[in-house]
Amino acid sequence: MAMLPLVLHWFFIEWYSGKKSSSALFQHITALFECTVAAIITLLVSDPVGVLYIHSCRVLMLSDWYTMLYNPSPDYVTTVHCTHEAVYPLYTIVFIYYAFCLVLMMLLRPLLVKKIACGLGKSDRFKSIYAALYFFPILTVLQAVGGGLLYYAFPYIILVLSLVTLAVYMSASEIENCYDLLVRKKRLIVLFSHWLLHAYGIISISRVDKLEQDLPLLALVPTPALFYLFTAKFTEPSRILSEGANGH
């Protein structure tokens, strides 16, 4: 949940920056700076205050995330709202982090975009910021409703989504071979970012007591990209249409 704002910032910055804009890299760096500082501040204000670690209650079961559903009702008449956060602070710390991310974005990004986004029209310069004003409330609701489910399923969600988004990006960018990938540095940055997500998902699934057996799976991180590059030429739409027209 902490990585999602950064990934979405990068996605919308890339989406709205335009091919000729030189401001995208600076916006990417600024988004990374915002999320990093927000994470550090969040840790510093959490218990114990002033240090970069937290005291956390251990998660035993899914219902620990939804204690508000277990408020007692004596005589089935009046509900007593006395439950507390059983997984403290794993549930509320995300909301605090999002608040700091939003504040830092509103303080830093508009000034940066106004100064350096010369390759964009006035109406397009702030679209990545407007997008953040939409996705932060969505992420907040997602954490509030599905925090427990995400806690158990996030490694698999990360693996699936990172594979899908990598395939969509390479297809949209018309990358069909290694040369197409190397011709622009931006594409390599996107590729390495997805590889980091692949690796993070694999490590998250790994068993702590059997790391020596699971960590070799990290060698599979480049496999999806290589598979795409080797098979893209067989699924290129123009080739399929031409072969169909020739009766093959």
Side-chain angles (χ1 to χ4, degrees):
M1 294 306 291
M3 292 195 320
L4 274 177
L6 178 60
V7 173
L8 290 173
H9 276 316
W10 283 349
F11 172 79
F12 285 110
I13 289 170
E14 189 69 25
W15 185 268
Y16 291 118
S17 63
K19 294 183 178 180
K20 296 183 179 179
S21 175
S22 58
S23 68
L25 179 60
F26 294 100
Q27 292 186 64
H28 285 315
I29 295 173
T30 304
L32 177 62
F33 176 77
E34 293 165 4
C35 293
T36 303
V37 172
I40 293 174
I41 295 176
T42 302
L43 291 175
L44 291 176
V45 300
S46 301
D47 184 43
V49 177
V51 293
L52 293 176
Y53 62 87
I54 58 175
H55 292 160
S56 174
C57 299
R58 186 177 181 183
V59 182
L60 299 178
M61 57 186 71
L62 181 62
S63 58
D64 290 345
W65 289 83
Y66 304 103
T67 53
M68 73 289 292
L69 302 178
Y70 297 91
N71 285 311
S73 301
D75 301 325
Y76 302 98
V77 177
T78 304
T79 300
V80 181
H81 298 279
C82 60
T83 55
H84 295 273
E85 183 182 354
V87 293
Y88 177 85
L90 300 181
Y91 189 75
T92 54
I93 197 172
V94 176
F95 303 127
I96 299 172
Y97 167 72
Y98 287 168
F100 283 122
C101 282
L102 190 57
V103 170
L104 288 170
M105 182 193 72
M106 296 306 297
L107 290 176
L108 300 177
R109 196 85 64 80
L111 297 175
L112 176 74
V113 171
K114 188 175 181 181
K115 292 291 184 183
I116 67 174
C118 334
L120 298 175
K122 290 185 178 180
S123 61
D124 296 332
R125 292 185 181 185
F126 300 100
K127 282 188 175 180
S128 62
I129 299 177
Y130 295 151
L133 296 179
Y134 281 98
F135 70 66
F136 269 118
I138 294 173
L139 291 178
T140 301
V141 173
L142 185 63
Q143 169 68 9
V145 175
L149 297 173
L150 292 170
Y151 177 80
Y152 288 100
F154 79 91
Y156 309 98
I157 295 174
I158 287 176
L159 282 175
V160 172
L161 289 183
S162 61
L163 289 174
V164 171
T165 54
L166 178 61
V168 170
Y169 176 80
M170 296 179 76
S171 176
S173 301
E174 299 181 354
I175 299 174
E176 298 182 1
N177 50 56
C178 293
Y179 176 78
D180 293 337
L181 191 60
L182 299 174
V183 73
R184 297 181 63 184
K185 294 180 180 179
K186 186 186 297 184
R187 293 177 178 178
L188 289 177
I189 294 174
V190 173
L191 176 65
F192 292 143
S193 300
H194 279 84
W195 282 359
L196 287 176
L197 289 176
H198 296 344
Y200 182 72
I202 292 173
I203 292 173
S204 300
I205 297 174
S206 300
R207 296 161 294 181
V208 178
D209 56 334
K210 296 183 178 180
L211 285 178
E212 67 281 356
Q213 297 180 15
D214 295 341
L215 288 184
L217 292 174
L218 291 175
L220 298 175
V221 166
T223 302
L226 295 175
F227 178 81
Y228 181 93
L229 292 175
F230 290 143
T231 59
K233 58 184 178 181
F234 301 113
T235 58
E236 208 280 321
S238 61
R239 173 177 177 175
I240 295 175
L241 291 174
S242 64
E243 289 183 353
N246 295 331
H248 293 161

